[in-house]
Amino acid sequence: MKWPAERLVGGSTKSFGMYEVAARLDAEGVDLIHLEFGRPFADTPLHIKEATKAALDAGVVHYGDFRGTLPLREALAAKLRDFNGLDYGVDEVLVTNGLTHASFAAFMAAIDPGDEVILLEPYYPQHIGKTELAGGRVVVAGLDAANGFAISRQAIAAAITPRTRMIVLVNPANPTGRVYTRAELQDVADLAIAHDLLVLSDEVYEFITYDGARHVSIAALPGMRARTISCFAFTKAYSMDGWRIGYLTADAALMPALMRITMTDVTHVNVFIQEGAIAAVTGPQAPMLAMVEADRRKRDIVVAGLNRLPGVSCAVPEATIYAFPDIRGTGRTSSELAMLILDKAHVVVEAGDFYGPAGEGHLRVCFGSVSEARLIEAMERLSVFFESL
């Protein structure tokens, strides 16, 4: 019997990084503080849960529109206009099972075998597997830590070949915490237009920005609406990671192919969950803003604590729920140090090389995944550990 399909053989193996490594200690009952897992700590705001429960009680339990319910798409079109500066009609919005599903549909609809996809490194690893499942090949454009991981037009241009089909952005950026400026995005846009490329824009952290940093959607730049697939989710800002709901936007000409993927793999998203999503978009935003402010306080705790550690320096992240400290001064590799921290301090952080060679010499520390008290305890454990090195 032939098993499995050839497209699954020889590609990158999906890994959960240090979370997977730490599972053995979790199973033994060791008190680990998990700062490697990119999920929000807070509960989903009450009004979102209440709207979902009310929908269930009202019998919203049957098949819905393949694209997502019309009221939700209307609410999302208004949000895109008001927050992102994007003018999309309701038929140019497609509701998905989280941003992971949205980007998977984009890869499957756009990539032919042998096509090349450019990722900015440090990259989000999931995009590798999705590219490969579509038959594509990943090419990286490395960003320079010395330049604050700013977008490099030169690095992207050097990665473009006749087989290049797509450039992938994560903005705000995971793992670096950067918010790309309009000028940086314009460099990407200029290259995409000059070489007739698509851009996939992962904007899951759009609301989680600090200190006046302003998120810009690349699709809002001149000439980019027709060639950008923008992906969003309720996961981080509304603390709805387990709900699995997101959406994408794209020009009407791209939507039939995208819908062909989503209609085939899931038909449509859970209908009563979509009622909760409507409440998230149209209801009070104070709970979301309070969660972002809590993350800002935790960011400041982590950055201050990391900068007190010998051999460590940490820039202040402009966005997201991650710090990306430089640990080269310790003389250890990122994987070696992450393992030592796990075994000795019982704190779980992600090795920078999990995000590609450009991430080597760094760790990713998620300050959004635990309470403030637990975060302070983690920093105390790290202080004791680093003094013992």
Side-chain angles (χ1 to χ4, degrees):
M1 181 178 72
K2 179 180 176 294
W3 186 264
E6 289 183 9
R7 66 180 177 277
L8 299 180
V9 179
S12 302
T13 302
K14 182 175 174 62
S15 168
F16 292 99
M18 289 299 297
Y19 177 80
E20 208 166 23
V21 175
R24 60 179 174 83
L25 293 179
D26 273 324
E28 295 169 5
V30 176
D31 178 28
L32 300 180
I33 302 179
H34 285 275
L35 304 184
E36 86 291 10
F37 199 29
R39 69 180 182 191
F41 169 71
D43 192 6
T44 304
L46 182 61
H47 70 281
I48 298 173
K49 295 195 286 186
E50 293 293 345
T52 306
K53 289 187 284 187
L56 272 172
D57 291 340
V60 182
V61 297
H62 300 295
Y63 290 138
D65 193 308
F66 293 143
R67 298 162 294 186
T69 65
L70 179 58
L72 176 55
R73 288 184 288 120
E74 289 174 335
L76 293 173
K79 173 265 177 185
L80 289 162
R81 181 186 65 246
D82 297 340
F83 182 78
N84 303 94
L86 300 174
D87 182 17
Y88 286 99
V90 292
D91 292 338
E92 296 174 307
V93 177
L94 178 59
V95 180
T96 60
N97 281 285
L99 192 149
T100 295
H101 181 220
S103 59
F104 177 76
F107 284 113
M108 294 300 291
I111 303 303
D112 282 321
D115 284 351
E116 294 177 351
V117 174
I118 295 175
L119 304 186
L120 306 186
E121 185 188 69
Y123 48 62
Y124 179 53
Q126 270 202 20
H127 290 148
I128 296 176
K130 285 179 275 193
T131 299
E132 292 176 343
L133 281 173
R137 174 177 173 269
V138 167
V139 178
V140 299
L143 305 184
D144 187 359
N147 196 31
F149 295 109
I151 286 178
S152 167
R153 180 175 183 147
Q154 182 178 13
I156 298 173
I160 295 173
T161 76
R163 295 306 308 242
T164 305
R165 176 68 172 148
M166 178 187 285
I167 301 171
V168 177
L169 285 176
V170 182
N171 181 37
N174 171 15
T176 64
R178 279 293 318 282
V179 180
Y180 295 129
T181 65
R182 181 175 290 271
E184 289 175 278
L185 296 175
Q186 189 63 59
D187 282 342
V188 177
D190 290 344
L191 290 169
I193 292 168
H195 295 275
D196 194 23
L197 305 177
L198 286 166
V199 171
L200 173 66
S201 183
D202 175 337
E203 302 183 29
V204 70
Y205 297 101
E206 59 179 334
F207 289 118
I208 307 178
T209 61
Y210 312 112
D211 306 327
R214 183 171 178 270
H215 169 69
V216 176
S217 292
I218 192 170
L221 272 57
M224 290 305 294
R225 187 191 192 281
R227 62 178 66 254
T228 302
I229 302 171
S230 303
C231 301
F232 306 88
F234 295 81
T235 301
K236 311 297 183 182
Y238 295 103
S239 203
M240 294 172 69
D241 47 307
W243 294 58
R244 307 313 305 140
I245 184 163
Y247 58 103
L248 63 80
T249 59
D251 186 84
L254 306 182
M255 293 303 291
L258 292 163
M259 284 188 61
R260 185 172 179 182
I261 303 301
T262 60
M263 289 170 61
T264 300
D265 64 7
V266 300
T267 306
H268 66 74
V269 172
N270 179 315
V271 287
F272 55 84
I273 294 297
Q274 294 184 62
E275 296 300 306
I278 294 171
V281 176
T282 64
Q285 300 301 295
M288 182 265 283
L289 296 174
M291 287 189 283
V292 174
E293 174 58 20
D295 284 334
R296 185 201 60 77
R297 292 194 303 269
K298 291 191 285 186
R299 177 203 66 171
D300 293 347
I301 290 168
V302 162
V303 170
L306 290 170
N307 279 319
R308 286 193 292 267
L309 301 177
V312 177
S313 64
C314 185
V316 180
E318 301 167 306
T320 76
I321 53 176
Y322 311 112
F324 203 54
D326 186 326
I327 52 88
R328 287 174 290 182
T330 67
R332 311 272 185 169
T333 68
S334 59
S335 292
E336 179 185 11
L337 190 60
M339 285 298 301
L340 284 170
I341 290 171
L342 172 63
D343 289 336
K344 304 299 183 183
H346 294 163
V347 175
V348 196
V349 297
E350 191 55 73
D353 63 356
F354 184 64
Y355 309 98
E360 178 53 65
H362 293 75
L363 301 174
R364 194 192 76 167
V365 181
C366 180
F367 50 81
S369 59
V370 295
S371 68
E372 190 170 313
R374 194 69 162 154
L375 192 64
I376 291 170
E377 181 183 352
M379 300 315 297
E380 291 171 348
R381 291 188 189 185
L382 290 177
S383 179
V384 171
F385 165 73
F386 272 83
E387 290 298 333
S388 72
L389 275 179

